[in-house]
Amino acid sequence: MTDTYDPTRTAVLLVDPYNDFLSEGGKLWPQAKPVATDVGLLDNLRAVVAAGRQAHLQILFIPHRRWQKGDYEDWDHPSPSQRVHGQQRHIFALGTWGGEFHPDFRPADGDVIAQEHWAQSGFANTDLDFQLKQHGITHVIVIGMLANTCTTGRYAMELGYHVTLVRDATAAFEPEMMHAAHELNGPAYAHTITTTAELLQALEKGEH
């Protein structure tokens, strides 16, 4: 372990920390809760964000599009997820509690909120790459939801970033989805796949 998480070049990407995903009463929480509880998701998210701030890493919020009336209705090719979660269920609806950030994961002074993404990648059709480059970021630590469908980490690798996935600081709707995310897909693009405990130790030592 010789590389370092240089605080001037490393960012934590917190993906979709909405009430609909992370809070009791959220529309998607019943599906995520078994895996989230099993891996200790909320405590691990809190720990990574707190450690990132303690280490003076840049924190970026990577928010999904908050549904608004009319979204996707005149699109040629909305994805299955956009049809179900957007058009039918109105997940992350703008102006609703479900579309607000979880109370433990709200931006602080100095955090960056990227433009909302429409599908699975926090980079596609947003300013995320621009924001990272303007802040001198070369290494990204990806946490949040969902482990198996979010392609933010893969897209980051394609754009030349060093990518760290934190396996227990994310969740999915089924254990098999977590396995696919971290054991099958993740190794194809992530430079480091780690746990919260290992990451915290690395940040304290300045290495990974």
Side-chain angles (χ1 to χ4, degrees):
M1 291 187 174
T2 57
D3 295 332
T4 60
Y5 285 114
D6 181 343
T8 67
R9 298 171 69 83
T10 304
V12 174
L13 306 188
L14 178 55
V15 182
D16 297 346
Y18 288 119
N19 282 320
D20 268 345
F21 260 150
L22 301 178
S23 297
E24 291 286 352
K27 291 180 179 179
L28 295 176
W29 177 244
Q31 294 172 262
K33 184 175 181 177
V35 171
T37 301
D38 183 60
V39 302
L41 172 67
L42 292 175
D43 284 342
N44 290 331
L45 288 175
R46 294 182 188 103
V48 173
V49 172
R53 290 196 169 115
Q54 179 67 28
H56 305 291
L57 308 186
Q58 182 67 60
I59 308 295
L60 283 95
F61 283 70
I62 315 300
H64 195 280
R65 167 75 175 185
R66 287 172 291 176
W67 178 85
Q68 300 180 45
K69 186 176 181 180
D71 280 357
Y72 315 112
E73 290 181 2
D74 58 354
W75 283 24
D76 283 343
H77 309 292
S79 72
S81 178
Q82 288 165 339
R83 287 188 183 279
V84 173
H85 292 158
Q87 286 180 299
Q88 297 176 22
R89 299 192 65 189
H90 304 167
I91 302 298
F92 317 136
L94 184 66
T96 69
W97 172 83
E100 295 175 0
F101 292 137
H102 184 285
D104 292 345
F105 309 111
R106 290 178 178 167
D109 290 344
D111 293 349
V112 174
I113 305 174
Q115 291 173 337
E116 296 179 357
H117 52 274
W118 285 88
Q120 280 75 36
S121 171
F123 286 94
N125 306 305
T126 77
D127 64 346
L128 178 54
D129 184 48
F130 177 81
Q131 291 280 7
L132 291 171
K133 285 182 168 60
Q134 288 299 319
H135 287 85
I137 300 301
T138 59
H139 289 53
V140 294
I141 299 168
V142 184
I143 59 175
M145 301 290 281
L146 283 165
N148 62 302
T149 62
C150 180
T151 59
T152 300
R154 182 184 293 276
Y155 210 125
M157 177 278 293
E158 298 283 1
L159 292 171
Y161 296 96
H162 180 285
V163 177
T164 294
L165 302 181
V166 187
R167 63 173 71 242
D168 55 0
T170 188
F173 296 153
E174 299 289 344
E176 293 82 2
M177 295 175 178
M178 292 287 278
H179 176 79
H182 301 127
E183 307 302 329
L184 303 179
N185 297 329
Y189 66 87
H191 303 87
T192 300
I193 301 177
T194 189
T195 66
T196 296
E198 292 167 343
L199 176 66
L200 299 187
Q201 187 177 28
L203 291 178
E204 290 177 1
K205 294 182 178 180
E207 64 181 28
H208 67 85

